Structures are given as structure tokens and as C-alpha cells.
Amino acid sequence: MLHEQYKLLAEQLRLLHKSDIWGFSVNLEQNIFGASYDACISIYNFLLRQEPVAMPLSKCIECYNSFSNEKFTCLERIADDYNITMSRAINVLIKGYLLTTQQGFISKARVRRIRKDPTVLGDSLLKRLIEEFKEREVETSIPALYGDKCERDLQNCLSIQQILFKSEKNLHGQIKTPDILLLEDVYYGGVKINWIDSKAGYGVPTLLVENTQFITYYNMYGTGLVVYYAGFVEDLATDERYVVVDHLPQFEKF
């Protein structure tokens, strides 16, 4: 995917999810965006991380009070008024409820637990809103088990090619460790590769251009290779310190 295509896709995902989470889910499943499901989910998660970290607590209280006074009970309306996604609007309402009812310390973990089980809430209207949202919410995370599988597939690929390596587990104790540290000279596309890092998601521009993790590996071990299994923005993968691919690599030995 080229950079202009990425920007267009990102904007489509942002606008559709903000306005219509049901349509977001259906369109992902039907692959109408012209990109894989995993790519869309990865890009969407990246966009969510670019939102402001937290809304001021006073705004959370204001939002909840407007909701509880039934000035507006439509989740889409709340998201639009506060210029946030509907998923984030749920979190804001939960925080506002906890603050208004003086429910004690507020943490991300507590908000997540309430989202998962809203029956603990004393507000029946908010409880029903969360339940309705959960019914139509698309799963927007790539399971950790999938990431583990990608790492195992990579190790099996290297073993089949009879390439000596140490996995991150075997490198325990070192300060910065990639998923794979190669123990012999191997090349990909004529470039000597010293380490490999495996990513289950999609390589978006900021991660490709400014990822200090990969630069740290370069400074410690030399040139490396990064596998983004869901794909990446091709015209931004130009850093000579590491090669970027979207498939299990086949290496050469000289």
C-alpha cells in the first residue's frame, strides 16, 4: 500500500467508525476498503492511539450529567458533541459516573472491567447503553496468541533453512532484545541481516519512520529485518537500517 492509499484508508476508517460502528464492522467483514481485515484493524488501533490520552475529569462529569439528565442518550450524539469515537464516549461516561457517584479510584483497568460487565453499575440507562454497544462493537484487537504464533512460524522458518539463531527467550537478561538474533551470516536481497523482529499487525508510517526500537537494535547489532504480517506502507519503508517485509523471509548464505 502506498502512502496516499494509506491516508485515504485511514480517513475512511476514522470517519466511518466515528459515525457508524455497525457499518464499520460490516464493511470490515466484507473487505470493501480494499485492504485485509488485519490491516484495517491495525491501522484503526494506531489511529485510536493518536487520540488525546484522556479527557479532563470535569468534562467526563459534564458528559455524564448531560447523559443522565437525558439531554442526549444517543451514543452517536455524545461522540459527535465531544468529537470522540463512540468507543471512547463509553469510557468517558463510565468515568463520569464513577466521579459523580464518588465510587473511588478510577483506573483504566476498572473502566475495562465495567465495560466487560456493566451489571455492576447502579445506572440502568448507562448499563443498557453499554450492553447495546457491546452487541454491535467489532473486535478491534489482534489477539496476543496470534502474535505468539507469528513468532513461532518465524522460528520454524529459520529452522527449516538451517539458520542458527537465538530467540528473545534465549536472550533474556540483555537490555534490548529483538525476537530473533542471528548467529551466522545470512542475506536478504543482498543485505546482511543480523536480527529479525516479528509484528502481527500493519506497519503504519510513524512506526516505520520513527520507531526507536528498531534503531536501537541497529545500533546494537547492525542491519536487521522487520516482518509486518498484515502488510505495511511500502513507500515509507526506506530506512536503510532495517529491511521491511510482509512475509516469512527466505535467506541466502554466501
Side-chain angles (χ1 to χ4, degrees):
M1 184 186 301
L2 299 178
H3 190 208
E4 290 303 317
Q5 294 172 315
Y6 161 77
K7 290 199 300 184
L8 178 60
L9 174 57
E11 188 60 22
Q12 288 177 317
L13 292 172
R14 190 198 309 272
L15 291 176
L16 182 57
H17 186 264
K18 182 179 176 182
S19 62
D20 180 11
I21 193 168
W22 175 247
F24 179 82
S25 175
V26 170
N27 288 329
L28 280 185
E29 292 170 359
Q30 295 180 352
N31 196 28
I32 72 161
F33 294 112
S36 71
Y37 182 90
D38 285 349
C40 289
I41 289 297
S42 296
I43 294 171
Y44 170 70
N45 280 328
F46 176 75
L47 295 175
L48 283 186
R49 293 197 297 271
Q50 306 314 300
E51 290 189 337
V53 175
M55 181 178 288
L57 297 182
S58 60
K59 283 288 186 182
C60 294
I61 295 173
E62 173 191 300
C63 180
Y64 174 73
N65 286 337
S66 296
F67 168 79
S68 60
N69 293 332
E70 298 188 12
K71 290 182 179 177
F72 47 78
T73 56
C74 174
L75 190 58
E76 289 86 348
R77 167 80 184 279
I78 297 171
D80 187 59
D81 280 15
Y82 287 88
N83 194 30
I84 55 179
T85 63
M86 287 186 284
S87 180
R88 191 163 176 230
I90 290 288
N91 290 348
V92 168
L93 287 171
I94 292 172
K95 290 180 182 179
Y97 167 80
L98 294 174
L99 290 165
T100 302
T101 56
Q102 299 181 344
Q103 295 280 329
F105 180 72
I106 299 172
S107 66
K108 291 181 179 179
R110 189 177 185 188
V111 171
R112 283 196 298 269
R113 287 197 298 270
I114 292 174
R115 284 184 65 139
K116 186 176 182 179
D117 180 20
T119 58
V120 300
L121 294 171
D123 186 323
S124 59
L125 185 61
L126 179 57
K127 180 166 59 177
R128 185 170 72 250
L129 186 74
I130 296 173
E131 290 287 6
E132 291 175 352
F133 179 78
K134 286 173 61 180
E135 289 177 1
R136 55 186 181 142
E137 183 178 23
V138 63
E139 176 57 52
T140 58
S141 62
I142 296 177
L145 289 176
Y146 179 64
D148 293 341
K149 178 183 181 301
C150 291
E151 291 183 17
R152 290 196 302 272
D153 288 347
L154 176 59
Q155 293 178 22
N156 290 336
C157 174
L158 294 174
S159 296
I160 290 172
Q161 296 179 65
Q162 298 183 333
I163 294 174
L164 300 177
F165 66 91
K166 281 188 176 181
S167 66
E168 185 176 19
K169 182 178 180 180
N170 300 133
L171 294 169
H172 182 69
Q174 297 191 30
I175 299 175
K176 296 289 184 180
T177 56
D179 292 329
I180 296 292
L181 184 63
L182 298 169
L183 302 180
E184 58 181 306
D185 291 347
V186 298
Y187 296 80
Y188 185 89
V191 178
K192 182 183 176 183
I193 302 299
N194 301 284
W195 55 268
I196 309 173
D197 214 48
S198 172
K199 301 294 183 184
Y202 189 89
V204 298
T206 299
L207 295 181
L208 288 173
V209 176
E210 301 173 0
N211 199 317
T212 56
Q213 175 190 15
F214 302 150
I215 296 173
T216 299
Y217 296 159
Y218 169 80
N219 291 335
M220 294 180 66
Y221 308 113
T223 307
L225 182 141
V226 182
V227 185
Y228 278 105
Y229 286 90
F232 58 93
V233 180
E234 296 174 12
D235 55 340
L236 294 179
T238 56
D239 196 313
E240 295 182 355
R241 291 170 287 193
Y242 50 89
V243 177
V244 183
V245 299
D246 60 2
H247 54 272
L248 292 172
Q250 294 295 314
F251 291 106
E252 298 175 328
K253 298 182 182 181
F254 296 115

